[in-house]
Every structure is written in structure tokens, then in C-alpha cells.
Amino acid sequence: MASDVDTTPLVGRDALVATVRSALLDDVTAGQTAAVFLTGESGVGKTRLLREVGDRLEHAGALVLTGSCLDIGDASPLHPLRQALRRLDADLAPSAAASVRALLGVFAEDRSGSDGAGALLERVSRGLNVIAGGRPLVLVLDDLQWVDRTTRQLLLYLLAGLGDLQLSVLAAVRSESLQGAHPLRRVLTELRRLRSVRVLDLAPLDRAGTEELAAAVMRRPLTAEAAEQLWQRSGGNPFVVEELSRELRDGRDGLSDTLREVFLARVDALPRPAHRAVHAVAAGVEPVEHWLLAQVVGLPEPDLLDAVRAAVAHRLLVGSDDGYRLRHRLVAEVLEDELLPAERAVLHRRYAEALTTAPAELHQARLAHHWRLAGEPERALPAAVAAAEEAERLYGYAEAHRHWSVAVQSAEGLPGVDRADLLGRAAEAAHHCGEYARALTLLEELAGADTDIPACELHIRRARYLAAAGRSALAEAEYEQALAVADCTPGQRATAAARRAELLLQLGRYAEAGQRAREALALAEQLDGGTTEVVLASAALGFSEAYRQDPDAGLAVLRRALATAERAGRPEDVALAYLHLAELLTGPLNILEEGVVVARRGAERVAELGLGRSYETRLLAIATNGLFRVGQWAEAEKVIASALRHRPSGADAVELLLARCRLSVGYGDVEAADRDLDAVATILAGGGARHVIPLLTLRAGLAMWQGRHDVARHAVQRGLTETRSDDLVILAVLVWHGLRAEAEAHASRTVAVDDNAVRRLRGIADRVAARSERAARPVRYVIDGYLALCAAEVSRLDGADPELWARAAAEWDHRNHPYPAAYSRLRQAEALLASRRKAATAGRLLRQAYQMAQSLGAVPLTDEIRTLAGRARVALEERGAVGTATPDESGGEELAALTAREREVLAAVAEGLTNKEIGQRLFISERTIGVHVSHIFDKLQVRTRVQASAIFLRSRS
């Protein structure tokens, strides 16, 4: 079943096309035969694949004859071959078509004698040999399930080697048609015995292929929700994917008539018992166990087995050890419209009654589903509540959220039901699984209901949900309102105070966070069982003390908070303790290796506790930042890819997007960085300085690599208005970017230097230096590194001082941060060359910077180093070490210059994968793969993928 649009790309079949081409041409020697039979369900792309392989074989010099079998019983003998010959005759010049017409004439002769069949086959073989004229001959046959008897005999005759002809056969067979005693089944069984014959099943597309094909049809990428729905509905069938994508593209909802008729025809072709079985599975919750299906359809066991076997053979059902599933969920949509509402209700009631006879906790979710659709919400409600509570016991908050939502829906209009309690529990489950917008919506519905929930409790919950959604300013206001409520209980007051302290910590207001944390601890001491309040307040206090006064004492407080949280076992407390401990280590204290280990260990722990979409994502973002700072960018990419599978939202998404953007800016992937920065800016409506300043710093850094120094200046000036933060580190980074932007403007002479901005930035740098004297020693240590960069950037405005840049390089070498160290060496070399002294030292510095930037994959920095080296005529490669190797010996040495990620990309390039395919394999954007490939070309000094692949393969041998 071919699509009616041929402009869509062939997706996910490159390896199969290469395999078939090799089997039919490359591996076939003179005088031999070969065959590949492609089996697969309707719409899986068999016809398209035949056409693609046929074109490639024709371009390789083979003579390709293409024909199709007819669905008219036993059609005229050799119909597909005769059709192919007529097409060839129409394409040839009259002088070249004589042999073709001679063979067509053979079919018109009367060969009714006893040896007529054998003689006909022999004459056809000789005729094909003449037509081939010494070229490989490939016979391509579509819809072979309808093949006539004589063509079957011809295939057996030729592929057995009886025709003295070098022939290859490529044929497509519709799997669902080969039922019972179909004659082609016997033919394929015989042919399988030949070593030169292969039968390949053409599977549906995988998820990545489905999304790629849909994006090509729609001419734009799909949203995550649309991609998930398309995958579930289509099952990866290319024809179905194209039809559904076209409907989406054209703004139509529902199913096209074409799809509906296709699936209805397949269901209607089933025997009546199989028809009933498919309808029952379509109404069930997959997988439908065999015992359950038996009770629902009410068939005797032998009849049920025959029915299921027929449905599986027609490619409508898939059977496995755990039960039956529809091959395409789209079938359920089609069949739902074929049943009357009363018929659907009867099916769901049968399911519910059958499940009730086999009580088990695992059945509660399905019971709720079927009782609700059977029109009995009063019986659905207790099952939904039981399912939600069981999911929460197992930390399955996403599942719990779904079940509580069913409970809320089922409770609508039922007397005697505490719907407010259901709304509250649904909101909390939504919050835990990262559905922050949904949590806020449910909470507002709860607030508007007739309920006796205290106002203080509503303020606290709203503040928690707002903070998680990234709306920090509103969250802080809600905590203030909670504490201002007159009838706030001691427990609620302690909770609001502790959570406010933890929020202030996230906002970077460390002094205030410490003060509020002490107040919260004092309140918590008066409570019996205020573990959560103690953990949150201790985390805020420990971080504040470690940053401002005593790192060892602060770390000890944080570690005790983590131990307390683990003993209590409340998932969110454990997650927050891990979060702030990892954040402190990888950030202000600069204990990067331990911080990364703590972040990754914490991510594993909170994933066990069901908080994968929220806190695991944030902990992995912290690990990414630590890996970025120590120069392990390839590993950081892998961590980000792991976190992105959760599709986070709110503040969790902000942390991850900022971490990914740091990599994109470093790599020079402008489009990806811009996209992430825009997304963060959208989420951060009402966010605090601790996120806004890094956002604007990254915006400035990206603009400078683009030569847009005025844009960088504007971003920095906006960041300087965010004054409510004690985080001197992020402020020092911002000031460095501001002074760098002015220095770049001075060097480029494209934008005038803003003297007022320079004075303001220098003043802020002085104040940062003064304030850092009151910070803990490790914090001052990090800040001093950025202040060294600030002083060196100022010197670029009035004659760069190489000594200042040498000091900056040494500072960052000591801190094990290769990126600013490489940048400082570049500027030191630039200053030396400008003063026309120590050219040899400048060359050495450029080579060191180049090697460091190359190892990171920092393309813009590498390009700037290369530009300066070109002007100064400095050779960046040590020719004596590398250039002496012979071509046959140099592969391994050349690969030594590549990072781990670049080697992964190069290995995929050597496999022949495109950038898009490599990105899908490594979970990286196609544009980022392009950056890696360019970097690989530069390091290996090649211009093409073939040359790069040759070096890779040589190194392996």
C-alpha cells in the first residue's frame, strides 16, 4: 500500500536498503541467482522500498524489470513478467526492443502440449538472457501474494539455477494474506532452503523514525505531546503516519476516510469470532490477558484460540506472554465508532465484572477505567482511589496523578463524596510528578470549592506550586501571606517559615535565608514530628553558613539534614537535601568532583523515590554544570540527554535549559542556545536573580561570539538591575562579561565603547571584591578568578597588559577550569604580539590555548585562536611530532586529538550515518552534530566525511 505522495523521504530503511542491494548485486557472482522476499503488513512501505532498491540497482548497471501481480484470482500466466516487459518495450528505442518483443511473442504462442510448461519456462529463461545482454538482471515483483501459478513455477525454475541466467529477484508479500493453504507459503518454504534466498520481515518504524517522517510531512517538528500521540496511534506504520500527519498539517481532526476504510476492511475480512475478539481487545486496557479475554467474549477455548490466531495473522493483534495488544491503537478509534454506546458500555461492564472476580491491587486502575466507561461512576470511584493510593505507596506519582484525576471526574455529582479531598490529593500528585500548571489549576478549583481548608494551608500549597513552576516572586508573596494569617497554627507557621527560607536560598539571598532558617528552626523545635521543617531550614542554614562564614560547619549541617531526611523517608525532603548539598559543592565551594558525584548519586536516589521528572532533572543539571567547568563537555552532553527524557517543566526545565545552553554557547551552536534562552525567559516570569543573571550572562556571551557587542552590553546592563541577590559569584561572572563586551567593542571598532558602562562595571567589580572579603575563603577563591579576568579585560581598553592575562591564566589553571584558562592564554598571546615582544612565548601560549579549546570542542574560541595565529604566522600544530608519521601509521595518533564525544560522532560518520541519524542515536541536536563534525574535520585536517572515515577505519585496523 503506497502513499499517494512520493515526496516524503524514505525514513529508517537505510540499513535495509544497503542489505538488499548487497544481497541482490554485490554478493552475486556471474551465473548465480539470488532473491530477497520482503514481507510486512499493509502500509509498512514495501512498495516504496522496492522502488528505492530498484532505482539504486539500475544506477549500478543492472537491468531492472518491474511488475505487479493482480488480485483477480489466477490471473493470466506470467502477468507480472509480461507487464514488466511491456514497460521496458515502451522505454526502449525500436531498434533496441526487438529481443523484448520476441519474448513477448512467446507468450502469444499455443504451448498446450505435454511438455508445454517446461518448454515455456526454458524459452522465457533464454529470452531474458538475451534481453539482459550480459548485464545483471533484477526482477522486481510487487504484491506477490496474488502471484499466478505460472509465475510461481518460473521463480522456482530460475532461482534453482535451471535457467543458466544471472538473475536476482526482489519481491514484496503482504503478510496478512498468507493464511491457511496459500500456495505462495509452500513456494517460500521451498525457496528458503536455497542459501541465496532471504526472506526479510519489514517492521514498522521505530519512534525516532516515526517522528522524522511526520516532521517531513508536516514541514515542521512535532511537539512532544503530538509525537507521543502519533506514535501510539500509528504503531510506526509509515502509511498511517503519513495520513495522520497530513491531517494534522491541514488542521483536520479525527481520522481520514482513507484510514478508516483501510482498517475497517481489514477487520471485516476476519471470521466472526475473530471480529468479536478484536472488538473486545480494542475496548480493553492493554495487554488483555487470555483468561480475561475469554470471559469477556464468552467463546469456548478452541474457538477463542482460532479467533485470536486469525486476528494475529491479519496483523490486527499482537500476542505475547502477558496478553494481547492491538498492532495499531488507531484500530480502537475506528472500532469505537462502529459500536453503539450501549454496546460499548456492555463490553466495559463485562471487563469490570471479570476483573472483580479476580481481586488484586494491580487491577484497581483497570476496574476504575471500565466501571467509569460502563456508566457506573459510583463503582469506579473506590477503585480509582485504591489505585492512586497504591501508586503513591510505590512512589509512582505520575500514575497517582492520573488515578486521582479519574477519581475527581468520577466523583462529579455523586452524593456524600468529599470532592475537596480528592482535588487536594490530585493537586499534590500533580506537583510531585512535575505537572506544575495542572497542580495550580486543581488548587484554584479547590480554593473555589465549598471547603473548610484553612487559608494558611492554601497559601503554603500555592507558594510551593508557584516556586516549582519557576514563579519565585509570587511564591515568596504567598509565604508572606501565609505567615500573616492570624489563625495560622504553629505547625503551619513553621512550615511556611522553613519553606520561605529554602526559597530565599534558591533566589540567592543567602544572608536572609540564614536568618529566616534560624527562625524556622526555632518554630520547628516546638513541634512534635516537624522533620520536614527541620530538613528544609537546616539546608538553608547550612548553605548560608558555608557561603558566608564557615564552609566546613555549613557542609556538616547540610549532611546532617540529608541524613535526617533519609531516616524520615519523605521523598521531597531527601531530594531537597541532595539538591542543595550538590549545588553548594559544585558552585560556590568549587569542590567539583565531589559535587558531581553527589549530584549523580542524588539523581539516582530521587528517581527511586518517584521524583524523576522534577528533582532528578535538577540534580542532573547540577552535575552537568560541574562537568562543564572541569572541561568534561562530552560527558555533560550525555547527562543532559539522560535528563531530557523526562521532558521537565517549570523551575526544573530552567535549570536544565541553562545547563544545556552553557554547552551550546561553548560549542558555538547559536540556534540551540537562542532557543533555550528564549524558553528560559518565557518560564522565568517572576523569577529571581539567581536564574535571571545567568540567563543574561549567557545571552551576552552568545552575542559576543556573534560580534553583536551592543546586544551583549544591553544584556549585562539588564542583569545589573537584579540587585536582590547575595551570590557574588554570578555577579562577578556578569561583570566580567560586561567588561569583555566593552573590550571586544574597542577591538572590533564596530561599536563605540561606553565609558559610563565601563566606570559602572569597574565600580561594581570593586564592590564585589570588598564584599567577598566577608565571604568564606572558597567563595573568595572563585570570585578572585573572575576579578582577575575583569582586571585583564580593563587593560584591553588602554593597551593590554600580558601580565594581567598571565595571572588570570594561572588563577584558572589552579581551579582546574580549562575554558577560562584557554581564553586567558589567547588574550595573553594577543597582548604579547601587540607589543611586538616575546613572539616565541606568544606562539607557545596560542598552541596551549588551541589544544585546550580543541579538547573541549569550543568552536568559537578555537576559531579566534586560529585567526590570531594566522595573522601572526604561528603554526598551531607541532609538525615534528605528528608530521613524521607515515600515512599508514598516523591514524591512531590523529584520533588522539579528538574528545570522547568526537570519537563517538566519527564512528557513526564511518558507518555512513547522516547528522540527523547520529543526533538521534546520541540524543543531540542535528546542528550540534554538525558542530562536532566540523571540529573533527579541523583536527584531522580533512575536508570530507570519506577522508575522516578513512582515518577512523585505518586507526581501527
Side-chain angles (χ1 to χ4, degrees):
M1 182 184 303
S3 169
D4 58 351
V5 177
D6 295 332
T7 57
T8 53
L10 184 68
V11 171
R13 308 298 193 198
D14 288 347
L16 184 59
V17 168
T19 298
V20 174
R21 182 194 186 283
S22 178
L24 297 180
L25 190 62
D26 301 338
D27 299 341
V28 182
T29 59
Q32 288 188 332
T33 60
V36 173
F37 294 91
L38 296 172
T39 64
E41 63 178 333
S42 302
V44 80
K46 300 182 297 296
T47 300
R48 176 68 187 278
L49 198 67
L50 293 187
R51 186 165 60 249
E52 186 74 21
V53 174
D55 289 344
R56 297 194 184 191
L57 293 174
E58 198 165 35
H59 291 153
L63 175 63
V64 179
L65 301 179
T66 304
S68 301
C69 304
L70 294 179
D71 182 20
I72 54 173
D74 206 7
S76 58
L78 297 173
H79 169 79
L81 178 59
R82 294 162 79 172
Q83 181 188 54
L85 290 171
R86 291 192 190 98
R87 290 173 175 170
L88 180 62
D89 180 38
D91 292 339
L92 293 175
S95 59
S99 58
V100 177
R101 291 175 183 172
L103 183 53
L104 284 170
V106 169
F107 302 130
E109 298 177 7
D110 182 9
R111 311 294 298 178
S112 57
S114 58
D115 63 342
L120 175 62
L121 297 179
E122 184 177 349
R123 292 187 66 185
V124 169
S125 175
R126 287 201 303 269
L128 290 174
N129 203 355
V130 172
I131 293 171
R135 287 184 293 170
L137 179 65
V138 182
L139 186 58
V140 179
L141 304 175
D142 200 4
D143 288 323
L144 199 66
Q145 69 277 359
W146 296 323
V147 65
D148 62 272
R149 181 169 175 238
T150 309
T151 303
R152 292 197 302 268
Q153 292 176 335
L154 178 64
L155 290 177
L156 287 170
Y157 179 85
L158 295 175
L159 293 177
L162 301 178
D164 191 26
L165 173 69
Q166 181 181 342
L167 174 76
S168 296
V169 174
L170 174 61
V173 185
R174 190 177 296 177
S175 304
E176 60 265 31
S177 300
L178 299 183
Q179 306 304 319
H182 195 292
L184 188 59
R185 294 182 68 181
R186 297 195 299 273
V187 173
L188 291 177
T189 300
E190 289 189 43
L191 290 175
R192 281 178 188 269
R193 299 172 185 166
L194 302 175
R195 292 190 346 189
S196 60
V197 174
R198 302 180 66 177
V199 179
L200 304 176
D201 187 54
L202 190 58
L205 298 174
D206 59 15
R207 182 164 186 154
T210 299
E211 291 188 30
E212 183 180 350
L213 178 58
V217 174
M218 296 181 65
R219 306 184 190 99
R220 57 179 171 81
L222 277 73
T223 63
E225 294 76 14
E228 172 67 21
Q229 187 179 42
L230 182 67
W231 168 248
Q232 294 295 336
R233 296 176 78 196
S234 69
N237 183 287
F239 171 76
V240 179
V241 172
E242 288 188 31
E243 287 292 318
L244 291 175
S245 301
R246 230 171 267 125
E247 296 294 306
L248 283 172
R249 182 192 67 197
D250 298 338
R252 293 191 293 269
D253 193 15
L255 293 176
S256 68
D257 292 339
T258 303
L259 272 181
R260 190 176 299 279
E261 291 304 319
V262 165
F263 283 113
L264 281 178
R266 289 171 66 178
V267 174
D268 290 343
L270 291 171
R272 194 64 195 167
H275 194 276
R276 288 172 58 188
V278 171
H279 268 282
V281 173
V285 177
E286 297 179 345
V288 177
E289 298 91 331
H290 184 80
W291 68 266
L292 182 57
L293 183 62
Q295 292 196 42
V296 172
V297 299
L299 288 172
E301 185 70 8
D303 294 346
L304 177 60
L305 289 173
D306 288 341
V308 169
R309 191 175 291 111
V312 170
H314 280 75
R315 298 294 181 105
L316 288 165
L317 290 186
V318 177
S320 60
D321 291 342
D322 58 353
Y324 304 110
R325 294 175 173 83
L326 292 173
R327 184 174 287 272
H328 308 287
R329 283 306 304 169
L330 210 59
V331 174
E333 298 179 39
V334 172
L335 295 183
E336 185 177 14
D337 293 337
E338 296 300 304
L339 294 178
L340 295 172
E343 292 176 304
R344 290 197 296 271
V346 167
L347 268 178
H348 288 294
R349 187 172 294 108
R350 287 179 184 168
Y351 267 114
E353 290 170 347
L355 289 167
T356 302
T357 64
E361 290 178 336
L362 295 178
H363 295 330
Q364 295 298 329
R366 289 196 286 177
L367 266 176
H369 171 79
H370 289 300
W371 280 129
R372 183 172 61 86
L373 293 179
E376 300 190 36
E378 68 281 358
R379 303 182 74 172
L381 179 57
V385 170
E389 290 175 340
E390 174 63 16
E392 287 182 338
R393 281 195 296 273
L394 298 173
Y395 305 116
Y397 293 111
E399 293 77 13
H401 172 225
R402 288 199 299 270
H403 300 322
W404 285 122
S405 296
V406 170
V408 169
Q409 185 178 358
S410 300
E412 187 73 42
L414 292 181
V417 175
D418 187 356
R419 192 163 181 272
D421 178 64
L422 297 176
L423 283 169
R425 299 181 75 171
E428 193 67 8
H431 168 71
H432 281 308
C433 72
E435 293 287 347
Y436 303 126
R438 176 64 178 158
L440 285 165
T441 299
L442 289 167
L443 186 64
E444 293 313 309
E445 188 175 351
L446 173 62
D450 185 12
T451 176
D452 56 357
I453 296 179
C456 185
E457 176 66 23
L458 283 174
H459 283 305
I460 292 172
R461 293 183 68 172
R462 188 179 292 114
R464 288 174 55 222
Y465 300 169
L466 285 168
R471 297 158 71 180
S472 305
L474 293 175
E476 184 181 3
E478 288 290 336
Y479 282 132
E480 298 292 348
Q481 290 182 56
L483 290 167
V485 172
D487 58 352
C488 195
T489 67
Q492 291 168 346
R493 193 171 299 280
T495 298
R499 291 194 175 279
R500 179 180 60 174
E502 196 271 334
L503 175 65
L504 292 170
L505 177 64
Q506 294 189 41
L507 293 174
R509 289 153 58 184
Y510 304 137
E512 190 178 358
Q515 177 187 344
R516 299 303 183 190
R518 289 186 179 87
E519 295 172 1
L521 284 171
L523 291 170
E525 288 174 358
Q526 304 171 21
L527 301 177
D528 183 17
T531 305
T532 294
E533 290 73 19
V534 170
V535 169
L536 294 179
S538 296
L541 179 61
F543 196 112
S544 175
E545 286 193 358
Y547 187 95
R548 302 179 64 245
Q549 299 169 358
D550 187 340
D552 293 335
L555 277 172
V557 172
L558 266 169
R559 295 187 197 278
R560 286 198 299 271
L562 176 57
T564 302
E566 287 282 18
R567 285 195 300 272
R570 189 170 181 274
E572 194 170 7
D573 295 349
V574 174
L576 282 167
Y578 264 116
L579 182 75
H580 294 311
L581 178 59
E583 206 165 31
L584 180 63
L585 291 168
T586 58
L589 299 189
N590 198 45
I591 310 174
L592 297 174
E593 289 78 6
E594 183 183 355
V596 170
V597 170
V598 169
R600 298 180 92 162
R601 185 191 305 141
E604 293 176 4
R605 179 72 179 107
V606 301
E608 295 170 0
L609 298 175
L611 300 176
R613 190 180 179 200
S614 51
Y615 287 100
E616 182 189 2
T617 297
R618 295 173 74 172
L619 282 160
L620 290 177
I622 292 170
T624 299
N625 290 332
L627 291 167
F628 176 84
R629 292 186 180 105
V630 297
Q632 296 182 30
W633 291 10
E635 182 64 20
E637 277 189 289
K638 293 179 182 178
V639 174
I640 285 177
S642 173
L644 283 172
R645 75 185 190 276
H646 293 303
R647 299 202 299 272
S649 63
D652 312 323
V654 167
E655 299 281 2
L656 189 63
L657 291 173
L658 287 174
R660 185 169 69 174
C661 187
R662 288 185 184 93
L663 279 169
S664 297
V665 172
Y667 283 139
D669 190 345
V670 174
E671 184 177 326
D674 263 332
R675 185 171 59 247
D676 285 347
L677 289 172
D678 288 343
V680 170
T682 300
I683 298 171
L684 275 183
R690 195 157 164 270
H691 287 132
V692 173
I693 290 178
L695 163 70
L696 294 169
T697 301
L698 286 168
R699 183 77 77 188
L702 183 64
M704 279 187 277
W705 285 131
Q706 296 174 286
R708 302 164 62 198
H709 310 307
D710 53 337
V711 174
R713 173 190 296 153
H714 180 64
V716 171
Q717 295 302 319
R718 282 178 55 201
L720 294 175
T721 64
E722 295 285 340
T723 56
R724 297 191 68 190
S725 173
D726 302 329
D727 197 326
L728 299 177
V729 175
I730 61 173
L731 183 57
V733 178
L734 180 70
V735 172
W736 167 43
H737 277 66
L739 290 169
R740 181 183 157 204
E742 299 301 333
E744 296 287 355
H746 174 73
S748 67
R749 293 182 171 83
T750 56
V751 179
V753 174
D754 187 336
D755 294 329
N756 290 329
V758 173
R759 279 194 296 272
R760 183 184 184 195
L761 289 164
R762 294 181 68 173
I764 294 174
D766 291 340
R767 288 196 293 276
V768 167
R771 290 173 61 190
S772 69
E773 293 299 321
R774 297 189 295 274
R777 185 174 179 279
V779 178
R780 293 200 306 272
Y781 185 62
V782 176
I783 293 170
D784 285 347
Y786 288 109
L787 292 177
L789 287 170
C790 290
E793 294 288 3
V794 170
S795 78
R796 293 175 67 194
L797 295 170
D798 51 10
D801 185 347
E803 295 305 318
L804 289 175
W805 285 113
R807 180 193 159 209
E811 293 274 359
W812 291 108
D813 283 340
H814 293 155
R815 289 158 181 77
N816 191 29
H817 287 222
Y819 186 79
Y823 174 80
S824 298
R825 281 175 170 80
L826 164 65
R827 296 299 173 218
Q828 184 185 357
E830 184 180 56
L832 288 171
L833 291 170
S835 63
R836 301 185 182 277
R837 57 193 176 94
K838 297 185 179 181
T841 302
R844 175 177 55 80
L845 291 167
L846 284 174
R847 280 189 287 272
Q848 290 174 352
Y850 183 71
Q851 184 178 6
M852 296 167 77
Q854 286 265 36
S855 66
L856 293 172
V859 175
L861 181 57
T862 300
D863 289 343
E864 187 160 349
I865 295 168
R866 192 182 290 116
T867 299
L868 179 60
R871 288 202 306 265
R873 299 182 180 179
V874 172
L876 293 175
E877 302 289 352
E878 293 287 355
R879 298 297 179 185
V882 178
T884 57
T886 65
D888 291 337
E889 298 170 341
S890 63
E893 293 183 16
E894 288 170 301
L895 293 192
L898 303 184
T899 64
R901 175 63 92 188
E902 287 164 355
R903 292 189 185 207
E904 287 183 295
V905 172
L906 179 57
V909 168
E911 290 181 42
L913 301 184
T914 65
N915 286 0
K916 180 177 286 188
E917 291 166 338
I918 298 171
Q920 290 168 350
R921 174 184 290 186
L922 301 181
F923 302 99
I924 307 173
S925 73
E926 182 181 359
R927 183 173 294 274
T928 301
I929 292 296
V931 172
H932 282 310
V933 170
S934 298
H935 201 186
I936 291 167
F937 285 5
D938 287 343
K939 289 185 179 182
L940 299 183
Q941 296 184 1
V942 297
R943 295 185 177 181
T944 68
R945 298 169 86 91
V946 173
Q947 292 171 330
S949 300
I951 292 175
F952 175 79
L953 296 172
R954 184 167 67 237
S955 72
R956 295 185 64 186
S957 64

